[in-house]
Amino acid sequence: MMRRILSIDGGGIRGVFPAGFLAALEENLPQPIGSYFDLISGTSTGGIIAIGLAMGLSAKDILALYEDRGPEIFEQEEAGRKGFFRKVRRNVRGNLFGPKYLPDKLREALQDTLGDRRIGDAKTRLMIPAWHPQTRKVYIYKTAHHPRFETDYRDAAIDAAMATAAAPTYFPQHVTEHDVGLVDGGIWANNPVGYAVAEAIGTLGWQRDGLKVLSISCLEDIFSTEGQYSKASIALQATKFFMAGQSYGSLGLAHILTGDPHENRSIYRVCQPVPDGFFSLDNTARIRELKDRAFVEAREKKPILKPVFFAEQAEPFSPHHELKD
């Protein structure tokens, strides 16, 4: 039996790319694109997209969230002199006092999108990585797709979204309704594809030769190791090396677990290379360009992906534990 997995990387406002890519694929489908997958996983901005899709929202509506609310979330809705001074203030706040942005606008946007939904309202199995800094342990929000998952399905969807998106230096730690402090799952799983495949095989017991995995990045920066750098730029490059290595490690795990490409074709990775620094995680001025790239990529990939992932909807998800009215 074939099972289909959707995995979406983290990347701040660059989430416009996977949201736009999925919205373009969804255009000619009779149902929201999330209903064609048996398991959806996403980290950080990818986690927000994953939660929305699992709740039954269309990719088009999620893309609109980025387009309509992105500038206010990253405090860039104003241009000219006033916008310049707000940018200076943000940078000073980030350099001297901690996180660059306040979480209020992000919470408002997510509240308007997700409302009072709980993880247990998901129509598709869901897996959202976060990190618990106090104990230095992984913290993964999951639907009740296994009998032992008796807790998370009661949690607010907005808590999972805020937690996985609480990227250090950009947003403060998110404190949930249960007073649990969490930060961005990108700390350890910015590309969650390997862990999603491990969940499918190890927890759900799905056969590896029956898995089809669509893994979507938020673009890949191509950077050089040559030249002289300041201490600040060296630190930035080291972070990028770490994130790239983490992503390739997760992708490699997915390949090993599925036997791709030596035994079968299982992993379909969408990852556009871009010049280093051209698309930052918080520059909303490039939203249109990100959307442009996404729609062109979808146009090219649709003939390949449609027969594999979108010939029919996934079987309905029946959780082991359900919310009570």
Side-chain angles (χ1 to χ4, degrees):
M1 180 180 180
M2 188 173 75
R3 296 285 191 173
R4 289 160 287 181
I5 299 172
L6 174 62
S7 175
I8 310 171
D9 295 10
I13 197 62
R14 298 185 349 172
V16 169
F17 179 80
F21 179 80
L22 291 167
L25 292 180
E26 186 182 63
E27 281 185 346
N28 298 318
L29 297 178
Q31 300 295 329
I33 199 166
S35 66
Y36 291 83
F37 294 92
D38 298 282
L39 171 65
I40 302 177
S41 183
T43 302
S44 196
T45 195
I48 291 174
I49 298 170
I51 293 168
L53 294 177
M55 295 297 164
L57 300 179
S58 70
K60 181 180 179 180
D61 287 341
I62 297 171
L63 175 60
L65 166 66
Y66 284 86
E67 292 184 284
D68 298 341
R69 308 295 288 273
E72 66 181 71
I73 291 170
F74 289 104
E75 302 177 18
Q76 294 167 34
E77 67 272 30
E78 294 174 324
R81 184 182 179 89
K82 191 171 183 180
F84 171 77
F85 282 112
R86 288 197 70 175
K87 181 178 180 179
V88 171
R89 187 175 64 191
R90 285 196 309 271
N91 290 335
V92 170
R93 184 169 64 209
N95 291 331
L96 299 180
F97 304 107
K100 192 174 180 181
Y101 300 103
L102 300 175
D104 307 53
K105 294 297 183 181
L106 176 60
R107 173 180 279 279
E108 288 176 15
L110 290 173
Q111 187 68 54
D112 290 343
T113 303
L114 299 174
D116 296 326
R117 292 181 178 90
R118 299 271 157 180
I119 296 295
D121 289 313
K123 304 176 187 300
T124 305
R125 296 170 191 84
L126 190 59
M127 180 179 167
I128 305 295
W131 174 257
H132 188 236
Q134 187 166 337
T135 58
R136 298 184 183 182
K137 291 183 178 180
V138 300
Y139 194 105
I140 309 174
Y141 282 97
K142 298 180 183 181
T143 46
H145 51 258
H146 190 280
R148 70 172 179 267
F149 300 158
E150 301 181 60
T151 303
D152 295 351
Y153 77 95
R154 300 189 185 96
D155 291 347
I158 192 172
D159 269 343
M162 290 289 292
T164 196
T169 75
Y170 286 93
F171 292 104
Q173 170 182 267
H174 175 67
V175 179
T176 72
E177 62 183 356
H178 302 300
D179 289 330
V180 176
L182 298 170
V183 299
D184 186 358
I187 292 292
W188 65 279
N190 198 58
N191 174 359
V193 65
Y195 307 101
V197 171
E199 184 79 1
I201 296 172
T203 301
L204 293 165
W206 296 346
Q207 295 300 308
R208 74 175 194 163
D209 58 1
L211 295 180
K212 298 296 179 184
V213 184
L214 177 56
S215 172
I216 310 176
S217 77
C218 290
L219 308 177
E220 179 181 21
D221 291 310
I222 304 301
F223 51 93
S224 172
T225 58
E226 296 181 359
Q228 299 297 316
Y229 299 103
S230 65
K231 288 183 178 179
S233 64
I234 289 174
L236 179 60
Q237 291 293 333
T239 300
K240 291 180 177 180
F241 275 124
F242 168 76
M243 298 299 287
Q246 182 197 97
S247 177
Y248 277 98
S250 180
L251 186 61
L253 175 62
H255 279 287
I256 291 170
L257 291 175
T258 60
D260 180 296
H262 304 292
E263 298 173 30
N264 54 69
R265 176 75 191 277
S266 298
I267 312 296
Y268 296 76
R269 176 72 169 165
V270 178
C271 185
Q272 259 195 20
V274 296
D276 182 34
F278 190 74
F279 294 102
S280 69
L281 273 62
D282 59 346
N283 183 5
T284 62
R286 298 199 184 278
I287 286 177
R288 190 200 63 77
E289 293 169 83
L290 288 163
K291 183 179 176 181
D292 179 326
R293 283 177 168 271
F295 275 70
V296 170
E297 187 76 8
R299 177 179 176 273
E300 293 181 2
K301 294 293 194 297
K302 185 178 288 188
I304 300 169
L305 299 177
K306 186 175 180 180
V308 179
F309 293 96
F310 308 118
E312 60 182 2
Q313 289 178 269
E315 289 188 348
F317 167 44
S318 298
H320 291 275
H321 311 289
E322 297 185 358
L323 295 169
K324 297 181 180 179
D325 295 332

